[in-house]
Amino acid sequence: MTKIEIRPENVRPAQTPCPNCPCCSSPLCEKGRSSVMQCLGHVGDSTAAVTVSACPCSAETTRGTHAWRAAQVQAVRHATENPLSKDAEMILRVLAGGQAFQDPAGHLQGLLARRYAHTDRESWRITMLGRRYLSALDEPRYASAVYVESVDLKTRTATVVVIGWHMNIGVTVLADHLAHAVDLPLDSLPGRYLDARVNLGAADPDDLVLTRIQLPAPITSDYVSVRPLRGAR
């Protein structure tokens, strides 16, 4: 039998374990955090997929991940553009209040499918995404200009200034969300102004959610700039 010599240069170096979870390597979690596919979408082995499927580092329930940002946009768009029926909304609000209820129409299964509610087979609870949906129904949204400061092509995030919210604080958003909305490549976004609907009452920049993003209407020759009167409040 031929003896195979294994040399150090032929051995694949071990991956550094992630310091924040027991299931992934550090490079995998870095990819997962910056991808709506999460860690699960970056492994091909079925055994490894089972291991990383619930990784908290990239989950949509973990604030700041790509999956979390995408889920926030999805919930807000659902609430503002194509909301649940009033009966389903009532069930969700009752869940949020922790009150007893009956569900003869089976709305809970729909809320479960949308990840607005969760069950352990004994009780039902509203999820954070469900609460985000309800807050999107209740919070006022305003039209605001949005200036794109920069785009990180590696993480596919953009730093924008939401003019109606704060002139000096950058807000991180998904760059692909902007690019797809206005049908432009990522590298053409920096330096552009866009129009969007935004929940300007948010206290944390991560809680700002941009929807109905579009290119601003062109300024025509008959445009008149109106300046506020001095002393006006």
Side-chain angles (χ1 to χ4, degrees), residues 121-134:
R121 298 187 180 182
E122 293 184 1
S123 62
W124 287 84
R125 297 180 300 278
I126 189 172
T127 64
M128 293 304 296
L129 194 59
R131 293 187 184 279
R132 187 68 191 90
Y133 172 88
L134 290 180

Side-chain angles (χ1 to χ4, degrees), residues 13-84:
Q15 295 287 323
T16 304
C18 176
N20 301 313
C21 73
C23 55
C24 299
S25 67
S26 186
L28 177 58
C29 281
E30 183 179 353
K31 286 183 181 179
R33 279 190 295 270
S34 299
S35 169
V36 294
M37 297 188 298
Q38 307 177 42
C39 291
L40 177 61
H42 295 276
V43 295
D45 181 79
S46 58
T47 302
V50 172
T51 302
V52 308
S53 61
C55 179
C57 297
S58 61
E60 74 171 21
T61 52
T62 300
R63 192 175 182 84
T65 66
H66 269 42
W68 178 83
R69 295 187 191 282
Q72 302 303 297
V73 173
Q74 179 187 34
V76 172
R77 288 192 61 187
H78 183 206
T80 57
E81 298 174 16
N82 186 28
L84 295 167

Side-chain angles (χ1 to χ4, degrees), residues 3 7 10 34 73 78 88 102 142 146 149 157-158 160 170 184-185 200 215 221-222:
K3 184 177 181 180
R7 298 180 179 180
N10 295 330
S34 299
V73 173
H78 183 206
Q102 293 182 341
Y142 302 93
V146 175
E149 286 190 327
T157 55
V160 303
L184 289 173
L200 298 181
L215 293 171
S221 58
D222 60 349

